[in-house]
Amino acid sequence: ASDVYKRQVLVLLNLFHRTNVAIMIIRKLLFAVGAFVAVASYAQESGPLIEALIRKGILTNQEAEDLRADMVREGNQIPSIATGGGKNTTRLSVGMRMQMQYVNLDTDIKGAAFGPVATQHALLRRMYLTLKAGVGGDWGAVMTYDFASGGYDDAIIEWKPTPDLTFNFGLRKVNVVYEERSTSGNLKSLERSGITRYFVEGNNGRRMGAGSYRLGVFLDGKKDLNAQSTLLYSAAVTNPERNESFTLSAGAGDGTSNTPAFWGSVGFQRKLPDLGLATFGIGAGYLPDQGGFSTATLGRGYDLNLYTIYADVTSGRFGFMGEYMHANVEGGISVTRNASPTGFYLQPSYLLTETIEAVVRFQSLDTDGRGVNLSDVVRSAPSGGVMNKFSGWYAGGNWYLKGNDLKFQLGAEYGKSKDTVTGAPAEAKAVGVRSQMQIQF
């Protein structure tokens, strides 16, 4: 029992001794004390009980006030230890993120008599259950399962020898492509940019899978240069292929995934007035045997290199995030032709009030002949045929009911792809809106 409860019991025993309270009253009071202890962390719920003890003459007004103060102090303390399944578990936390969306997107192909069927659908975008545990010292683990997709997010063992240095072993996102590594719970534009999707999501012969989830060893560190500036750095050695299923996590390597991939990034962070922050950095990844012009050419000696430059600034009510991405894909178009896709997005935001935020994003992609479909870069959009270039706009608002823990997002999207990979003129457009409700704890 805590010192608070010990003091409570001693006060009551002394009072019983002085007043020679009858056995019946003692039994009733012991029952009341048990109820009192059960709710002691909530002083407002114990108020009636304390008032009853005062009326019976068991407590004085001063003793009651002392107990109320003790309960407030006790209730404000956050438990620091939880019991897990392992005997060495020193801490355990459980979290969840739920995101529900409604999407209404239509695609129009120039010159076509009939376009694809529009998307008008509600969906459970994410439903994450996260477990975090510590097993003593500097060691711990994180595991997140997504019930919406039947997949997972992080599944790592963590070692943190110092507050500024962390090693991860297992499955997580690499620290190359800043927007992808950023948590999905803090996205201002509801969905990540189509440029990020094109470079990091699963290889389908157009998108490259050059980022995101990998199995391997990861290092993340920082070093304070002075009171206002910090150096950020990361490195990783992983399997070359992007992980998207339990089969890939459990399976053995083969000709497409036997050679490790290497990743690294360096960044600079600067504190700004009024709690502002500016972050800039570069990143690169070398993925052997992950190039080629289709999924059938993976592991055939075509390598893939990825490069990124990013900026993320918040100052007062203003925010800005932008990123440039470039890739060299050996055999990205054919056996004899490489591809060098490039893309960027620019995303300013502004808090109109303490809880309402406006967001705008422009994005542009040139696949250099590799090809892109609207469905590759605009989530939930109907197909618009394979084109060579893409550009798009997003304009929306965020309503922070309880910060990012409870928020509503609404946005309009416009995307256009043009020019076939052979150079012939063509065009397709995707237009629509999407909304999302998010709660997390």
Side-chain angles (χ1 to χ4, degrees):
S2 70
D3 291 338
V4 172
Y5 303 144
K6 289 178 181 177
R7 289 197 299 272
Q8 294 166 3
V9 173
L10 288 174
V11 169
L12 294 174
L13 289 176
N14 288 333
L15 289 169
F16 294 153
H17 180 71
R18 292 198 307 266
T19 59
N20 193 24
V21 180
I23 297 298
M24 184 65 71
I25 300 297
I26 292 176
R27 289 176 178 173
K28 291 182 178 180
L29 195 53
L30 288 175
F31 176 81
V33 169
F36 173 74
V37 171
V39 297
S41 62
Y42 302 97
Q44 68 274 19
E45 295 180 14
S46 300
L49 174 60
I50 295 175
E51 295 297 328
L53 294 175
I54 293 174
R55 288 195 302 270
K56 291 181 180 293
I58 304 302
L59 293 178
T60 67
N61 286 329
Q62 184 58 51
E63 288 168 339
E65 290 303 315
D66 291 340
L67 287 177
R68 288 190 181 101
D70 286 339
M71 285 188 293
V72 169
R73 286 193 296 269
E74 191 79 1
N76 287 335
Q77 295 177 8
I78 300 174
S80 59
I81 297 178
T83 301
K87 64 180 181 179
N88 293 311
T89 303
T90 57
R91 64 185 186 275
L92 180 67
S93 68
V94 180
M96 177 169 281
R97 178 179 305 147
M98 297 175 61
Q99 295 176 336
M100 289 72 70
Q101 278 192 22
Y102 177 76
V103 181
N104 189 328
L105 286 168
D106 194 10
T107 295
D108 176 64
I109 303 175
K110 187 176 182 179
F114 300 97
V117 177
T119 299
Q120 298 177 5
H121 205 64
L123 60 118
L124 191 60
R125 181 66 178 89
R126 294 179 180 89
M127 188 170 178
Y128 286 170
L129 175 65
T130 299
L131 303 176
K132 297 182 180 180
V135 292
D138 309 316
W139 292 87
V142 180
M143 188 281 290
T144 297
Y145 184 81
D146 184 5
F147 289 91
S149 67
Y152 45 78
D153 198 74
D154 289 343
I156 55 175
I157 298 171
E158 184 175 81
W159 177 42
K160 197 165 187 175
T162 73
D164 295 337
L165 185 64
T166 302
F167 292 90
N168 292 159
F169 310 89
L171 173 76
R172 51 158 273 194
K173 292 180 179 180
V174 295
N175 252 354
V176 178
V177 183
Y178 182 79
E179 187 184 31
E180 175 68 5
R181 181 59 176 156
S182 302
T183 173
S184 60
N186 295 351
L187 296 179
K188 295 186 176 184
S189 54
L190 204 156
E191 288 284 353
R192 293 183 174 91
S193 69
I195 309 306
T196 295
R197 291 195 64 202
Y198 186 80
F199 279 83
V200 308
E201 290 197 359
N203 189 324
N204 62 0
R206 298 179 300 273
R207 293 186 315 224
M208 290 170 283
S212 197
Y213 298 104
R214 293 295 195 281
L215 266 169
V217 180
F218 307 81
L219 176 151
D220 297 282
K222 62 180 181 179
K223 181 177 177 57
D224 291 335
L225 303 177
N226 52 51
Q228 303 298 321
S229 304
T230 302
L231 176 69
L232 310 173
Y233 59 92
S234 72
V237 181
T238 72
N239 288 342
E241 77 278 11
R242 185 181 191 272
N243 267 72
E244 296 182 278
S245 70
F246 288 105
T247 302
L248 282 174
S249 295
D254 56 26
T256 66
S257 58
N258 278 333
T259 308
F262 299 90
W263 312 82
S265 68
V266 177
F268 176 79
Q269 201 168 70
R270 176 78 177 180
K271 295 178 182 178
L272 302 178
D274 300 323
L275 301 179
L277 189 67
T279 305
F280 306 91
I282 59 174
Y286 167 63
L287 294 79
D289 295 327
Q290 295 301 298
F293 50 88
S294 71
T295 56
T297 58
L298 291 174
R300 302 296 178 88
Y302 301 109
D303 297 337
L304 171 61
N305 296 292
L306 173 66
Y307 309 94
T308 68
I309 303 173
Y310 65 86
D312 188 3
V313 180
T314 57
S315 179
R317 294 179 176 270
F318 174 78
F320 172 81
M321 186 164 70
E323 193 164 8
Y324 171 83
M325 303 177 207
H326 172 82
N328 290 326
V329 188
E330 291 185 353
I333 301 173
S334 67
V335 175
T336 58
R337 292 184 61 194
N338 300 335
S340 297
T342 58
F344 70 90
Y345 66 87
L346 305 172
Q347 181 178 286
S349 60
Y350 188 79
L351 277 168
L352 303 174
T353 70
E354 295 300 318
T355 58
I356 304 296
E357 182 179 43
V359 182
V360 177
R361 179 179 64 207
F362 173 74
Q363 53 187 333
S364 178
L365 171 69
D366 185 340
T367 73
D368 191 33
R370 184 172 174 85
V372 61
N373 196 316
L374 281 174
S375 60
D376 294 331
V377 288
V378 181
R379 185 171 295 279
S380 305
S383 170
V386 178
M387 308 285 181
N388 187 44
K389 297 180 180 180
F390 163 78
S391 62
W393 287 89
Y394 172 90
N398 304 321
W399 181 16
Y400 297 100
L401 298 160
K402 295 289 183 180
N404 278 303
D405 290 340
L406 180 63
K407 69 179 178 182
F408 175 75
Q409 297 175 275
L410 176 66
E413 288 201 69
Y414 169 83
K416 181 175 74 172
S417 59
K418 66 178 184 178
D419 302 337
T420 66
V421 292
T422 61
E427 186 176 281
K429 296 178 181 179
V431 181
V433 297
R434 71 172 75 239
S435 61
Q436 178 171 276
M437 192 72 182
Q438 170 179 297
I439 187 168
Q440 60 184 10
F441 60 84

